Amino acid sequence: MGRVTSLDELPLRDDLRGLTPYGAPQAPLPVALNVNENTHPVPDEVASDILDDIALALRDVNRYPDREFTALREGFAEYLGHGLTADQIWAGNGSNEVLQHIMQAFAGPGRTVFGFAPTYSMYPLIAQGTGASWVAGTRDDDYSLSPDDAAAQVAAADPDVVMVCAPNNPTGTPLGLDVIEAVYEAARGVVIVDEAYFEFAPHEAVSAVTLLHGRPRLAVSRTMSKAFAFAGARVGYVAADPAFIDALRLVRLPYHLSALTQAAALAALRNSDTMLRMVDEIVEQRDRISATLEALGFTPHESWSNFVLFGGVDDPPALWRALYERGVLIRDVGIPGHLRVSAGTEAETSAFLEALASIGSHS
Ligand SMILES: *Cc1c(COP(=O)(O)O)cnc(C)c1O
């Protein structure tokens, strides 16, 4: 009683010893621009529409939900377009769960998962959780990737799973479809394109879902957490060949998507025009952040997402702390000389930029 056991004393898996859990700080600051959420609340009329459907679903909540979440898969197929059908769609409690399903099916003990660093910090954690090893590739100085270099790295590493984040988190870097085609040709394993931020890309940008036909080892994941302002609902999805989707059925827990989640996600999707109306405004604030950072003497990187990674920071922890003390939470992603900030509402973005200007020096 009362004695606190340390992790070292427990018979933990050897391959998990020494790992650190995902830990973006969650602090109740007035301006939270640290985890790339959509800071605009769900519009009132959509919220009440969603609530009506949740209320209906609640009446049947004594029964297990549709294990195949068929209506929701049809909804995502229609949203993605390009002739996709429900048998090419899978969903989970956040795209992180979808990525976990993929790695449970295609990675696991003795296998490797490869990505071009710096990239999304959850890839190594999800890979290691399944017992696989993470192999980090590299990028050019501006974080871009050329088709030849990317293909050569994948051919040399010969991984079981390749994670390609497009646009890339935490750098915001766009990625051409030519790079994905080259990586797919060079890969023996499956290739996952994580399009978590696709809706924030220029309107003429083309999704990797257009490459799915004839590429059974390719999968494209999306999330409702960012553009749809639905992070708290936990809904992500993936499009791939029907056989690839069948592989995920082997590892998912039965009824993993609750009836309430399915109802909420379907209602949100039905309102996607309204839900996505704030995307243009967020993009405007993102570009305003980049322009102002540049004027202040920082070096923002090109971003096709809802956040900006900027260099020219002499002491990132000190600047992070100074902003924190002014009520603004951003993210130190561990890249030397850099910090990352999400685009907020116009008021939140102003609060960040004004706090930054008031700190003055780059420290
Ligand atoms: C935010 C993010 C996700 C989404 O995670 P969810 O589990 O859907 O909330 C996926 N990939 C990347 C690169 C992200 O930044």
Side-chain angles (χ1 to χ4, degrees):
M1 284 284 283
R3 199 175 82 89
V4 178
T5 306
S6 94
L7 207 51
D8 295 337
E9 298 170 64
L10 292 174
L12 184 70
R13 271 164 46 187
D14 288 335
D15 61 326
L16 293 182
R17 287 195 190 282
L19 296 185
T20 324
Y22 177 85
Q26 285 195 300
L29 290 201
V31 181
L33 302 174
N34 63 326
V35 286
N36 302 340
E37 292 154 337
N38 185 332
T39 67
H40 298 248
V42 171
D44 280 343
E45 68 270 30
V46 178
S48 52
D49 203 27
I50 294 173
L51 256 183
D52 288 348
D53 284 18
I54 291 179
L56 271 179
L58 202 54
R59 293 206 190 125
D60 292 325
V61 89
N62 55 311
R63 300 289 185 183
Y64 281 115
D66 174 10
R67 199 171 50 218
E68 287 292 321
F69 45 99
T70 312
L72 185 57
R73 286 191 292 123
E74 283 164 358
F76 283 131
E78 190 186 330
Y79 172 72
L80 286 176
H82 298 290
L84 288 175
T85 49
D87 61 347
Q88 294 172 280
I89 304 290
W90 188 249
N93 296 282
S95 58
N96 274 287
E97 186 182 52
V98 171
L99 297 179
Q100 185 178 51
H101 287 165
I102 292 171
M103 294 202 203
Q104 285 176 319
F106 295 101
R111 293 193 163 204
T112 55
V113 179
F114 176 95
F116 301 96
T119 191
Y120 187 39
S121 63
M122 280 308 300
Y123 301 153
L125 286 174
I126 298 171
Q128 286 154 353
T130 74
S133 315
W134 170 251
V135 180
T138 59
R139 292 170 178 270
D140 290 342
D141 288 343
D142 63 355
Y143 306 119
S144 67
L145 274 173
S146 72
D148 288 351
D149 176 37
Q153 290 190 52
V154 167
D158 192 31
D160 298 284
V161 177
V162 183
M163 291 303 314
V164 189
C165 195
N168 187 49
N169 183 9
T171 62
T173 321
L175 187 89
L177 293 188
D178 54 344
V179 179
I180 295 161
E181 290 173 292
V183 164
Y184 187 86
E185 287 312 311
R188 169 187 52 83
V190 296
V191 177
I192 318 306
V193 183
D194 182 347
E195 291 189 344
Y197 299 96
F198 182 79
E199 285 90 347
F200 299 102
H203 293 301
E204 65 274 17
V206 181
S207 165
V209 301
T210 59
L211 300 178
L212 286 174
H213 186 74
R215 292 185 178 85
R217 290 178 290 110
L218 184 67
V220 182
S221 69
R222 294 276 189 100
T223 180
M224 296 187 87
S225 292
K226 309 291 160 58
F228 273 90
F230 227 45
R234 311 302 303 124
V235 187
Y237 52 105
V238 68
D241 188 274
F244 189 108
I245 304 299
D246 275 341
L248 308 183
R249 289 190 172 89
L250 299 173
V251 296
R252 62 95 177 273
L253 296 175
Y255 319 108
H256 69 286
L257 267 188
S258 86
L260 306 185
T261 302
Q262 292 184 40
L266 251 178
L269 258 188
R270 196 170 57 230
N271 288 280
S272 56
D273 286 350
T274 316
M275 296 287 276
L276 294 174
R277 211 174 285 154
M278 41 246 192
V279 164
D280 286 341
E281 192 194 323
I282 294 166
V283 165
E284 204 174 294
Q285 297 307 316
R286 173 198 74 199
D287 292 342
R288 178 177 160 229
I289 290 174
S290 298
T292 311
L293 284 172
E294 202 158 342
L296 290 171
F298 295 99
T299 50
H301 292 273
E302 181 185 16
S303 173
W304 277 22
S305 60
N306 66 345
F307 58 84
V308 178
L309 178 77
F310 57 101
V313 183
D314 295 337
D315 185 346
L319 182 54
W320 184 89
R321 167 71 42 194
L323 287 165
Y324 186 99
E325 281 157 6
R326 287 161 177 79
V328 179
L329 186 61
I330 68 167
R331 189 85 181 272
D332 183 349
V333 291
I335 300 178
H338 286 73
L339 287 170
R340 190 194 70 190
V341 62
S342 319
T345 60
E346 184 174 9
E348 289 166 329
T349 303
S350 297
F352 159 69
L353 292 171
E354 281 158 21
L356 189 65
S358 79
I359 295 164
S361 89
H362 290 183
S363 63

